[in-house]
Amino acid sequence: MSVHGQNHRIIIGVDYGTTYTGISYVDSLKSGIADVQVIRSWPGKIGDSVWKTPSRIAYEFENRDCKTNQFGYQVNAKMKSYSWTKLLLDGKTSLTKYDDPELAKAEDSGMLNIPKKLDPSQVAGDYLREVYTWTLNQLETRVSKEIIDITPFEFWITIPAIWSDKAKAATKKAARTAGFASRPGDTMFMIPEPEAASLATLKGLIQNGSTLQVKSGDGVLVCDCGGGTVDITTYKILGTVPQLSFEELVEGAGGKCGSTYIDRQFHQWMSGKFGSAFDNLKYEKRGPGSAFMKDFEEHKCDFGSSDDLDHIYEIRLVMDVPDSEYYDQDESVVKVTGHQMLEFFNPVISKITALLSQQIEKARRAEATCNINVGALDVNRIIDVKIIQRLILVGGFGDSPHLNNTLRKWCDRQEKLRLLCPEHPQAAIARGAALRGLENIVPVRRRSRRHYGTTIMMPFREGIDPEGDMCYHDWDDQKFCRGIMVWHVAKGATIDKDTIISVPGRFVHVEGSSLRRTVRLYSCSFEKGPERLSDPGVEEVGVLIHTLTDLDLEQFESKRKDNKRFFRVTYKFEVLLGAKEGLLQFRVMHDGREMGKCEIDYAND
């Protein structure tokens, strides 16, 4: 037990990003955002302190000069290393119009590779193990090993809000593999990245009495631009005193169109200009973490600080190609103009502004639509209101001068919309994650980003239902059609801590057989949920596996058939959508009692 009492703990925010990872921490005896500290010293980084360390790992077994695995700034350009692994945790989810269309090609070209015989969760876990070990090292130095040994940790792991349920579970698995919440008494929870960023930024505004201070009724659009993903979430402020209170106004949106999209655009340009001379270079020479890409990263981060598009950016790379307007053979540098850099940025910024426009329109309709009863009719009235007053830009990509400049101009074209980029936006997510544990601030209501449902059987309709979906019911041998979707929670539906999907379970049980059951859970991100399992857009979340225990079969209808006794068993299983853990939770119920354990086996890719 902690020296300060049973509830004393150290709360740690873990912002595991595609390109960089940050750690924050705060003692539970502290009181606010100003008390949240960020680890700014990382191994391999000499000189200035930094907010994050690269999400990169080099394995000892693949690098002859390494005695141990190397991570972050320890990894140099000569090592065989792995970056952007986080994207592979959600790698097989169907692409949307807001995702980088070249993402699949990047995996094929080696930009998203991992060691053979390892899966993405294992590689992510190996990297996070190094982060966890360093975090312990830093806390023991700053707090003392004696106190750390007896004080529980409460971890808050950030995840993209656009992540699939399987990707969220894979992230948690990787964190557990790494050692997070492995000590007795330690706990771990998940929090969406834009929600964490909102907490840090809004609390900072309220606490500092800024001229941009938010007030009750304001709409705030949070744009989390990271290395791999962009998450857009709209919140309505419900109150600021005595505690910040807010709700998600509409379901958020996003895509895999973060700053690494620009890197892939650059690689595509290089391939087009230099062909096999570039494509056949070793991965260590041209991939993430190489000296070549570090040069490009510096220019990318600086782009927009000057209006001179004729400026030539030089990027070191030895290639066997002649002199040209794009390559200086004597100096071994690639030459890229500001005009071309602009072309690298344009696709991702177009997707970001499209996502922002979509959210503003959804928020406007959600706030301005009211139902007026006229006799027996409901009439929708749309009022032209400006619900969104602030656009908060956070995430590592949020530091980009060009992104800032472009979005500021975009905001100027939107009436009453003001851009706010907090100081050190790359640290906002990690700080907000720790603040979530410290102050227990959660949105009053969230919105479901997808439909969730199961299938049922319906009486077969001759000439209407597909013959391939026809089956005979075990109870009375009647013709039924299987694969009919029932969406228990609609996309955009309100979710709070008590929101539950309650699904009736019915099956014919043969006396003496197992009471272990499986039910498949499905989701869909389309605006309207399809009617049939075979329709486009329906994705399997996973198989709910549950065993009914302590069940009195005599309470159910039964009959004898073929010298066997059959029971028509009814029960229900529940899926908890708003659990504090940040992942789907499950239980099996009958007559108000929990009747067994339920777990999910997430769908294979």
Side-chain angles (χ1 to χ4, degrees), residues 239-280:
T240 58
V241 290
Q243 189 179 48
L244 174 65
S245 175
F246 61 102
E247 68 174 345
E248 200 171 331
L249 188 58
V250 295
E251 75 272 15
K256 295 170 185 172
C257 54
S259 64
T260 54
Y261 190 165
I262 299 168
D263 298 359
R264 292 186 288 274
Q265 288 286 306
F266 174 51
H267 261 242
Q268 192 175 16
W269 180 85
M270 288 291 299
S271 183
K273 294 299 181 187
F274 303 108
S276 60
F278 173 74
D279 295 339
N280 292 340

mmCIF file of all heavy atoms in Angstrom, residues 239-280:
data_model
loop_
_atom_site.group_PDB
_atom_site.id
_atom_site.type_symbol
_atom_site.label_atom_id
_atom_site.label_comp_id
_atom_site.label_asym_id
_atom_site.label_seq_id
_atom_site.Cartn_x
_atom_site.Cartn_y
_atom_site.Cartn_z
ATOM 1 N N GLY A 239 -20.677 23.104 -19.352
ATOM 2 C CA GLY A 239 -20.376 23.917 -18.185
ATOM 3 C C GLY A 239 -18.888 23.946 -17.929
ATOM 4 O O GLY A 239 -18.151 23.056 -18.370
ATOM 5 N N THR A 240 -18.436 24.966 -17.229
ATOM 6 C CA THR A 240 -17.001 25.088 -16.923
ATOM 7 C C THR A 240 -16.722 25.137 -15.423
ATOM 8 O O THR A 240 -15.581 24.938 -15.007
ATOM 9 C CB THR A 240 -16.421 26.358 -17.573
ATOM 10 O OG1 THR A 240 -17.137 27.505 -17.102
ATOM 11 C CG2 THR A 240 -16.522 26.274 -19.093
ATOM 12 N N VAL A 241 -17.718 25.444 -14.623
ATOM 13 C CA VAL A 241 -17.558 25.472 -13.164
ATOM 14 C C VAL A 241 -18.723 24.711 -12.520
ATOM 15 O O VAL A 241 -19.843 24.723 -13.038
ATOM 16 C CB VAL A 241 -17.530 26.932 -12.631
ATOM 17 C CG1 VAL A 241 -16.252 27.622 -13.046
ATOM 18 C CG2 VAL A 241 -18.741 27.711 -13.103
ATOM 19 N N PRO A 242 -18.493 24.036 -11.403
ATOM 20 C CA PRO A 242 -17.199 23.877 -10.726
ATOM 21 C C PRO A 242 -16.239 22.924 -11.455
ATOM 22 O O PRO A 242 -15.074 22.852 -11.130
ATOM 23 C CB PRO A 242 -17.585 23.301 -9.373
ATOM 24 C CG PRO A 242 -18.832 22.519 -9.656
ATOM 25 C CD PRO A 242 -19.560 23.311 -10.698
ATOM 26 N N GLN A 243 -16.749 22.208 -12.448
ATOM 27 C CA GLN A 243 -15.909 21.285 -13.204
ATOM 28 C C GLN A 243 -16.282 21.342 -14.664
ATOM 29 O O GLN A 243 -17.440 21.588 -15.023
ATOM 30 C CB GLN A 243 -16.065 19.851 -12.678
ATOM 31 C CG GLN A 243 -15.065 18.866 -13.258
ATOM 32 C CD GLN A 243 -15.236 17.471 -12.690
ATOM 33 O OE1 GLN A 243 -16.336 16.943 -12.632
ATOM 34 N NE2 GLN A 243 -14.136 16.858 -12.258
ATOM 35 N N LEU A 244 -15.284 21.136 -15.528
ATOM 36 C CA LEU A 244 -15.526 21.097 -16.964
ATOM 37 C C LEU A 244 -16.505 19.967 -17.288
ATOM 38 O O LEU A 244 -16.355 18.839 -16.836
ATOM 39 C CB LEU A 244 -14.208 20.866 -17.704
ATOM 40 C CG LEU A 244 -14.300 20.649 -19.224
ATOM 41 C CD1 LEU A 244 -14.821 21.903 -19.910
ATOM 42 C CD2 LEU A 244 -12.939 20.255 -19.787
ATOM 43 N N SER A 245 -17.518 20.295 -18.073
ATOM 44 C CA SER A 245 -18.515 19.310 -18.492
ATOM 45 C C SER A 245 -18.778 19.507 -19.979
ATOM 46 O O SER A 245 -19.019 20.629 -20.436
ATOM 47 C CB SER A 245 -19.810 19.489 -17.688
ATOM 48 O OG SER A 245 -20.817 18.613 -18.154
ATOM 49 N N PHE A 246 -18.730 18.411 -20.743
ATOM 50 C CA PHE A 246 -18.930 18.526 -22.186
ATOM 51 C C PHE A 246 -19.481 17.218 -22.733
ATOM 52 O O PHE A 246 -19.442 16.179 -22.067
ATOM 53 C CB PHE A 246 -17.635 18.906 -22.893
ATOM 54 C CG PHE A 246 -16.508 17.920 -22.731
ATOM 55 C CD1 PHE A 246 -16.187 17.041 -23.741
ATOM 56 C CD2 PHE A 246 -15.757 17.881 -21.557
ATOM 57 C CE1 PHE A 246 -15.145 16.137 -23.599
ATOM 58 C CE2 PHE A 246 -14.710 16.985 -21.405
ATOM 59 C CZ PHE A 246 -14.405 16.110 -22.427
ATOM 60 N N GLU A 247 -20.031 17.285 -23.926
ATOM 61 C CA GLU A 247 -20.565 16.100 -24.592
ATOM 62 C C GLU A 247 -20.141 16.093 -26.042
ATOM 63 O O GLU A 247 -19.839 17.139 -26.626
ATOM 64 C CB GLU A 247 -22.091 16.066 -24.501
ATOM 65 C CG GLU A 247 -22.778 17.159 -25.309
ATOM 66 C CD GLU A 247 -24.295 17.017 -25.327
ATOM 67 O OE1 GLU A 247 -24.787 15.941 -24.963
ATOM 68 O OE2 GLU A 247 -24.976 17.993 -25.707
ATOM 69 N N GLU A 248 -20.108 14.890 -26.616
ATOM 70 C CA GLU A 248 -19.818 14.756 -28.040
ATOM 71 C C GLU A 248 -21.099 15.079 -28.794
ATOM 72 O O GLU A 248 -22.136 14.461 -28.566
ATOM 73 C CB GLU A 248 -19.343 13.332 -28.345
ATOM 74 C CG GLU A 248 -18.580 13.195 -29.646
ATOM 75 C CD GLU A 248 -17.948 11.830 -29.820
ATOM 76 O OE1 GLU A 248 -17.617 11.192 -28.808
ATOM 77 O OE2 GLU A 248 -17.787 11.405 -30.987
ATOM 78 N N LEU A 249 -21.030 16.080 -29.667
ATOM 79 C CA LEU A 249 -22.233 16.577 -30.325
ATOM 80 C C LEU A 249 -22.697 15.661 -31.456
ATOM 81 O O LEU A 249 -23.891 15.394 -31.611
ATOM 82 C CB LEU A 249 -21.976 17.985 -30.862
ATOM 83 C CG LEU A 249 -23.175 18.747 -31.422
ATOM 84 C CD1 LEU A 249 -24.276 18.887 -30.381
ATOM 85 C CD2 LEU A 249 -22.745 20.129 -31.904
ATOM 86 N N VAL A 250 -21.773 15.184 -32.259
ATOM 87 C CA VAL A 250 -22.069 14.238 -33.343
ATOM 88 C C VAL A 250 -20.963 13.198 -33.355
ATOM 89 O O VAL A 250 -19.916 13.389 -32.738
ATOM 90 C CB VAL A 250 -22.165 14.927 -34.725
ATOM 91 C CG1 VAL A 250 -23.343 15.872 -34.778
ATOM 92 C CG2 VAL A 250 -20.873 15.663 -35.051
ATOM 93 N N GLU A 251 -21.201 12.093 -34.046
ATOM 94 C CA GLU A 251 -20.135 11.098 -34.115
ATOM 95 C C GLU A 251 -18.943 11.659 -34.873
ATOM 96 O O GLU A 251 -19.093 12.367 -35.872
ATOM 97 C CB GLU A 251 -20.617 9.804 -34.766
ATOM 98 C CG GLU A 251 -20.795 9.829 -36.269
ATOM 99 C CD GLU A 251 -22.176 10.289 -36.696
ATOM 100 O OE1 GLU A 251 -22.903 10.862 -35.859
ATOM 101 O OE2 GLU A 251 -22.519 10.086 -37.888
ATOM 102 N N GLY A 252 -17.751 11.379 -34.360
ATOM 103 C CA GLY A 252 -16.535 11.902 -34.969
ATOM 104 C C GLY A 252 -16.208 11.207 -36.277
ATOM 105 O O GLY A 252 -16.876 10.251 -36.700
ATOM 106 N N ALA A 253 -15.175 11.703 -36.903
ATOM 107 C CA ALA A 253 -14.722 11.125 -38.173
ATOM 108 C C ALA A 253 -13.198 11.197 -38.203
ATOM 109 O O ALA A 253 -12.563 11.816 -37.358
ATOM 110 C CB ALA A 253 -15.324 11.882 -39.354
ATOM 111 N N GLY A 254 -12.622 10.553 -39.184
ATOM 112 C CA GLY A 254 -11.167 10.581 -39.289
ATOM 113 C C GLY A 254 -10.689 9.700 -40.408
ATOM 114 O O GLY A 254 -11.470 9.117 -41.171
ATOM 115 N N GLY A 255 -9.386 9.597 -40.506
ATOM 116 C CA GLY A 255 -8.797 8.766 -41.548
ATOM 117 C C GLY A 255 -7.322 8.553 -41.285
ATOM 118 O O GLY A 255 -6.700 9.227 -40.453
ATOM 119 N N LYS A 256 -6.756 7.593 -41.994
ATOM 120 C CA LYS A 256 -5.313 7.328 -41.916
ATOM 121 C C LYS A 256 -4.617 8.241 -42.917
ATOM 122 O O LYS A 256 -4.154 7.821 -43.971
ATOM 123 C CB LYS A 256 -5.047 5.854 -42.208
ATOM 124 C CG LYS A 256 -5.641 4.927 -41.137
ATOM 125 C CD LYS A 256 -5.576 3.480 -41.547
ATOM 126 C CE LYS A 256 -6.281 2.599 -40.516
ATOM 127 N NZ LYS A 256 -6.406 1.204 -40.964
ATOM 128 N N CYS A 257 -4.607 9.524 -42.542
ATOM 129 C CA CYS A 257 -4.050 10.538 -43.445
ATOM 130 C C CYS A 257 -3.216 11.531 -42.649
ATOM 131 O O CYS A 257 -3.334 12.742 -42.835
ATOM 132 C CB CYS A 257 -5.163 11.248 -44.220
ATOM 133 S SG CYS A 257 -6.474 11.969 -43.191
ATOM 134 N N GLY A 258 -2.388 11.016 -41.727
ATOM 135 C CA GLY A 258 -1.507 11.861 -40.941
ATOM 136 C C GLY A 258 -0.283 12.288 -41.728
ATOM 137 O O GLY A 258 -0.212 12.141 -42.959
ATOM 138 N N SER A 259 0.720 12.811 -41.006
ATOM 139 C CA SER A 259 1.880 13.395 -41.687
ATOM 140 C C SER A 259 2.714 12.376 -42.453
ATOM 141 O O SER A 259 3.452 12.745 -43.378
ATOM 142 C CB SER A 259 2.763 14.119 -40.669
ATOM 143 O OG SER A 259 3.301 13.222 -39.721
ATOM 144 N N THR A 260 2.607 11.079 -42.110
ATOM 145 C CA THR A 260 3.359 10.081 -42.888
ATOM 146 C C THR A 260 2.802 9.939 -44.306
ATOM 147 O O THR A 260 3.475 9.381 -45.181
ATOM 148 C CB THR A 260 3.341 8.707 -42.189
ATOM 149 O OG1 THR A 260 1.990 8.309 -41.932
ATOM 150 C CG2 THR A 260 4.109 8.754 -40.873
ATOM 151 N N TYR A 261 1.588 10.411 -44.534
ATOM 152 C CA TYR A 261 1.018 10.471 -45.877
ATOM 153 C C TYR A 261 1.952 11.301 -46.770
ATOM 154 O O TYR A 261 2.202 10.960 -47.936
ATOM 155 C CB TYR A 261 -0.367 11.123 -45.780
ATOM 156 C CG TYR A 261 -1.256 11.077 -47.006
ATOM 157 C CD1 TYR A 261 -2.614 11.373 -46.885
ATOM 158 C CD2 TYR A 261 -0.776 10.762 -48.284
ATOM 159 C CE1 TYR A 261 -3.464 11.355 -47.976
ATOM 160 C CE2 TYR A 261 -1.618 10.747 -49.379
ATOM 161 C CZ TYR A 261 -2.955 11.050 -49.224
ATOM 162 O OH TYR A 261 -3.798 11.027 -50.317
ATOM 163 N N ILE A 262 2.492 12.394 -46.219
ATOM 164 C CA ILE A 262 3.409 13.256 -46.973
ATOM 165 C C ILE A 262 4.686 12.492 -47.313
ATOM 166 O O ILE A 262 5.214 12.599 -48.425
ATOM 167 C CB ILE A 262 3.726 14.516 -46.152
ATOM 168 C CG1 ILE A 262 2.441 15.294 -45.878
ATOM 169 C CG2 ILE A 262 4.752 15.405 -46.870
ATOM 170 C CD1 ILE A 262 2.593 16.385 -44.843
ATOM 171 N N ASP A 263 5.175 11.697 -46.357
ATOM 172 C CA ASP A 263 6.372 10.878 -46.612
ATOM 173 C C ASP A 263 6.125 9.915 -47.768
ATOM 174 O O ASP A 263 7.003 9.709 -48.620
ATOM 175 C CB ASP A 263 6.746 10.072 -45.364
ATOM 176 C CG ASP A 263 7.093 10.957 -44.177
ATOM 177 O OD1 ASP A 263 7.071 12.196 -44.329
ATOM 178 O OD2 ASP A 263 7.377 10.418 -43.103
ATOM 179 N N ARG A 264 4.957 9.328 -47.782
ATOM 180 C CA ARG A 264 4.650 8.367 -48.853
ATOM 181 C C ARG A 264 4.493 9.080 -50.196
ATOM 182 O O ARG A 264 4.840 8.535 -51.248
ATOM 183 C CB ARG A 264 3.406 7.558 -48.482
ATOM 184 C CG ARG A 264 3.640 6.614 -47.305
ATOM 185 C CD ARG A 264 2.457 5.708 -47.033
ATOM 186 N NE ARG A 264 1.320 6.401 -46.448
ATOM 187 C CZ ARG A 264 1.145 6.619 -45.156
ATOM 188 N NH1 ARG A 264 2.068 6.228 -44.288
ATOM 189 N NH2 ARG A 264 0.069 7.239 -44.702
ATOM 190 N N GLN A 265 3.962 10.308 -50.173
ATOM 191 C CA GLN A 265 3.895 11.103 -51.399
ATOM 192 C C GLN A 265 5.311 11.393 -51.928
ATOM 193 O O GLN A 265 5.571 11.318 -53.125
ATOM 194 C CB GLN A 265 3.172 12.426 -51.116
ATOM 195 C CG GLN A 265 1.679 12.305 -50.904
ATOM 196 C CD GLN A 265 0.944 12.053 -52.202
ATOM 197 O OE1 GLN A 265 1.076 12.800 -53.183
ATOM 198 N NE2 GLN A 265 0.161 10.986 -52.239
ATOM 199 N N PHE A 266 6.202 11.722 -50.995
ATOM 200 C CA PHE A 266 7.589 11.995 -51.364
ATOM 201 C C PHE A 266 8.245 10.753 -51.943
ATOM 202 O O PHE A 266 8.941 10.827 -52.975
ATOM 203 C CB PHE A 266 8.350 12.483 -50.128
ATOM 204 C CG PHE A 266 9.825 12.670 -50.335
ATOM 205 C CD1 PHE A 266 10.310 13.415 -51.409
ATOM 206 C CD2 PHE A 266 10.741 12.109 -49.462
ATOM 207 C CE1 PHE A 266 11.673 13.598 -51.600
ATOM 208 C CE2 PHE A 266 12.104 12.274 -49.642
ATOM 209 C CZ PHE A 266 12.574 13.022 -50.715
ATOM 210 N N HIS A 267 8.036 9.594 -51.330
ATOM 211 C CA HIS A 267 8.606 8.345 -51.843
ATOM 212 C C HIS A 267 8.080 8.048 -53.242
ATOM 213 O O HIS A 267 8.829 7.583 -54.118
ATOM 214 C CB HIS A 267 8.275 7.192 -50.889
ATOM 215 C CG HIS A 267 9.395 6.846 -49.967
ATOM 216 N ND1 HIS A 267 10.015 5.620 -49.967
ATOM 217 C CD2 HIS A 267 10.033 7.578 -49.029
ATOM 218 C CE1 HIS A 267 10.964 5.607 -49.057
ATOM 219 N NE2 HIS A 267 10.996 6.783 -48.467
ATOM 220 N N GLN A 268 6.799 8.301 -53.442
ATOM 221 C CA GLN A 268 6.204 8.051 -54.758
ATOM 222 C C GLN A 268 6.848 8.969 -55.802
ATOM 223 O O GLN A 268 7.128 8.544 -56.931
ATOM 224 C CB GLN A 268 4.696 8.290 -54.683
ATOM 225 C CG GLN A 268 3.929 7.794 -55.881
ATOM 226 C CD GLN A 268 2.424 7.944 -55.688
ATOM 227 O OE1 GLN A 268 1.958 8.658 -54.810
ATOM 228 N NE2 GLN A 268 1.651 7.258 -56.504
ATOM 229 N N TRP A 269 7.086 10.217 -55.418
ATOM 230 C CA TRP A 269 7.747 11.168 -56.322
ATOM 231 C C TRP A 269 9.167 10.714 -56.642
ATOM 232 O O TRP A 269 9.603 10.764 -57.797
ATOM 233 C CB TRP A 269 7.750 12.554 -55.668
ATOM 234 C CG TRP A 269 8.394 13.636 -56.478
ATOM 235 C CD1 TRP A 269 7.807 14.388 -57.467
ATOM 236 C CD2 TRP A 269 9.743 14.108 -56.367
ATOM 237 N NE1 TRP A 269 8.710 15.303 -57.978
ATOM 238 C CE2 TRP A 269 9.911 15.153 -57.316
ATOM 239 C CE3 TRP A 269 10.819 13.761 -55.568
ATOM 240 C CZ2 TRP A 269 11.113 15.839 -57.475
ATOM 241 C CZ3 TRP A 269 12.028 14.446 -55.710
ATOM 242 C CH2 TRP A 269 12.173 15.463 -56.660
ATOM 243 N N MET A 270 9.893 10.266 -55.625
ATOM 244 C CA MET A 270 11.258 9.780 -55.821
ATOM 245 C C MET A 270 11.289 8.595 -56.786
ATOM 246 O O MET A 270 12.132 8.515 -57.681
ATOM 247 C CB MET A 270 11.872 9.367 -54.485
ATOM 248 C CG MET A 270 12.238 10.514 -53.563
ATOM 249 S SD MET A 270 13.634 11.499 -54.148
ATOM 250 C CE MET A 270 14.950 10.274 -54.196
ATOM 251 N N SER A 271 10.347 7.691 -56.608
ATOM 252 C CA SER A 271 10.272 6.521 -57.469
ATOM 253 C C SER A 271 9.983 6.932 -58.911
ATOM 254 O O SER A 271 10.551 6.379 -59.870
ATOM 255 C CB SER A 271 9.192 5.564 -56.963
ATOM 256 O OG SER A 271 9.146 4.393 -57.732
ATOM 257 N N GLY A 272 9.119 7.936 -59.067
ATOM 258 C CA GLY A 272 8.779 8.404 -60.404
ATOM 259 C C GLY A 272 9.931 9.115 -61.088
ATOM 260 O O GLY A 272 10.121 8.985 -62.307
ATOM 261 N N LYS A 273 10.726 9.841 -60.323
ATOM 262 C CA LYS A 273 11.826 10.612 -60.912
ATOM 263 C C LYS A 273 13.072 9.760 -61.154
ATOM 264 O O LYS A 273 13.797 9.958 -62.132
ATOM 265 C CB LYS A 273 12.200 11.789 -60.000
ATOM 266 C CG LYS A 273 11.110 12.841 -59.862
ATOM 267 C CD LYS A 273 10.768 13.471 -61.191
ATOM 268 C CE LYS A 273 9.692 14.539 -61.041
ATOM 269 N NZ LYS A 273 9.214 15.046 -62.355
ATOM 270 N N PHE A 274 13.348 8.810 -60.253
ATOM 271 C CA PHE A 274 14.627 8.093 -60.304
ATOM 272 C C PHE A 274 14.490 6.589 -60.517
ATOM 273 O O PHE A 274 15.505 5.904 -60.675
ATOM 274 C CB PHE A 274 15.425 8.368 -59.024
ATOM 275 C CG PHE A 274 15.669 9.822 -58.766
ATOM 276 C CD1 PHE A 274 15.002 10.478 -57.751
ATOM 277 C CD2 PHE A 274 16.537 10.538 -59.574
ATOM 278 C CE1 PHE A 274 15.215 11.839 -57.515
ATOM 279 C CE2 PHE A 274 16.759 11.894 -59.344
ATOM 280 C CZ PHE A 274 16.086 12.547 -58.320
ATOM 281 N N GLY A 275 13.263 6.080 -60.529
ATOM 282 C CA GLY A 275 13.034 4.682 -60.853
ATOM 283 C C GLY A 275 13.804 3.706 -59.989
ATOM 284 O O GLY A 275 13.899 3.856 -58.767
ATOM 285 N N SER A 276 14.405 2.702 -60.628
ATOM 286 C CA SER A 276 15.084 1.625 -59.903
ATOM 287 C C SER A 276 16.305 2.118 -59.132
ATOM 288 O O SER A 276 16.728 1.494 -58.156
ATOM 289 C CB SER A 276 15.501 0.514 -60.868
ATOM 290 O OG SER A 276 16.388 1.018 -61.865
ATOM 291 N N ALA A 277 16.889 3.257 -59.554
ATOM 292 C CA ALA A 277 18.043 3.799 -58.831
ATOM 293 C C ALA A 277 17.672 4.133 -57.392
ATOM 294 O O ALA A 277 18.516 4.065 -56.487
ATOM 295 C CB ALA A 277 18.575 5.046 -59.533
ATOM 296 N N PHE A 278 16.408 4.496 -57.191
ATOM 297 C CA PHE A 278 15.906 4.751 -55.832
ATOM 298 C C PHE A 278 15.232 3.508 -55.255
ATOM 299 O O PHE A 278 15.500 3.115 -54.109
ATOM 300 C CB PHE A 278 14.915 5.914 -55.842
ATOM 301 C CG PHE A 278 14.236 6.140 -54.522
ATOM 302 C CD1 PHE A 278 14.926 6.713 -53.463
ATOM 303 C CD2 PHE A 278 12.911 5.766 -54.326
ATOM 304 C CE1 PHE A 278 14.304 6.924 -52.237
ATOM 305 C CE2 PHE A 278 12.281 5.971 -53.111
ATOM 306 C CZ PHE A 278 12.984 6.550 -52.055
ATOM 307 N N ASP A 279 14.385 2.868 -56.032
ATOM 308 C CA ASP A 279 13.597 1.738 -55.529
ATOM 309 C C ASP A 279 14.466 0.584 -55.053
ATOM 310 O O ASP A 279 14.086 -0.148 -54.128
ATOM 311 C CB ASP A 279 12.641 1.236 -56.621
ATOM 312 C CG ASP A 279 11.586 2.267 -56.990
ATOM 313 O OD1 ASP A 279 11.335 3.166 -56.174
ATOM 314 O OD2 ASP A 279 11.033 2.175 -58.104
ATOM 315 N N ASN A 280 15.622 0.383 -55.678
ATOM 316 C CA ASN A 280 16.478 -0.759 -55.349
ATOM 317 C C ASN A 280 17.472 -0.476 -54.218
ATOM 318 O O ASN A 280 18.269 -1.341 -53.858
ATOM 319 C CB ASN A 280 17.240 -1.228 -56.590
ATOM 320 C CG ASN A 280 16.311 -1.833 -57.638
ATOM 321 O OD1 ASN A 280 15.194 -2.242 -57.320
ATOM 322 N ND2 ASN A 280 16.764 -1.872 -58.880
#
